[in-house]
Amino acid sequence: AIASGSVNFDVDAGMVFIGEISLDGSVRTVSCLTERLSEARRLGFSRAMVAKAGLPGANVLKLGSGFELLPVTSLSEAIKLLR
């Protein structure tokens, strides 16, 4: 929300962001990523932007088809993908 307001564009309502942004702008993974992604899908989200570092530990096969993961390492990379 902060980034979309500062660069003047809207974020897709079907997108969820799961991660932690550090002071230097890097995106860090969070615990229970697989469970958070499953819950996001259950709530109707179709895309998720997550920390790239968290993907090796996540069971993405559990999500099935029709759910897009966008792994990022930084806030600036996330903003570029959203434009």
Side-chain angles (χ1 to χ4, degrees):
I2 294 170
S4 67
S6 67
V7 293
N8 199 25
F9 66 88
D10 293 328
V11 176
D12 175 21
M15 170 82 78
V16 64
F17 299 84
I18 302 173
E20 195 175 277
I21 301 172
S22 68
L23 293 175
D24 68 358
S26 61
V27 177
R28 296 187 219 162
T29 192
V30 292
S31 62
C32 304
L33 182 58
T34 301
E35 291 82 0
R36 292 173 195 238
L37 290 168
S38 293
E39 183 67 7
R41 181 173 183 129
R42 189 186 72 75
L43 292 171
F45 292 97
S46 58
R47 301 170 77 200
M49 192 166 288
V50 298
K52 188 178 278 186
L55 286 184
N59 183 359
V60 295
L61 297 177
K62 186 177 177 182
L63 298 172
S65 63
F67 194 86
E68 182 182 11
L69 287 176
L70 301 168
V72 295
T73 57
S74 67
L75 182 58
S76 60
E77 183 181 355
I79 291 170
K80 286 178 188 173
L81 281 175
L82 291 172
R83 287 191 171 172

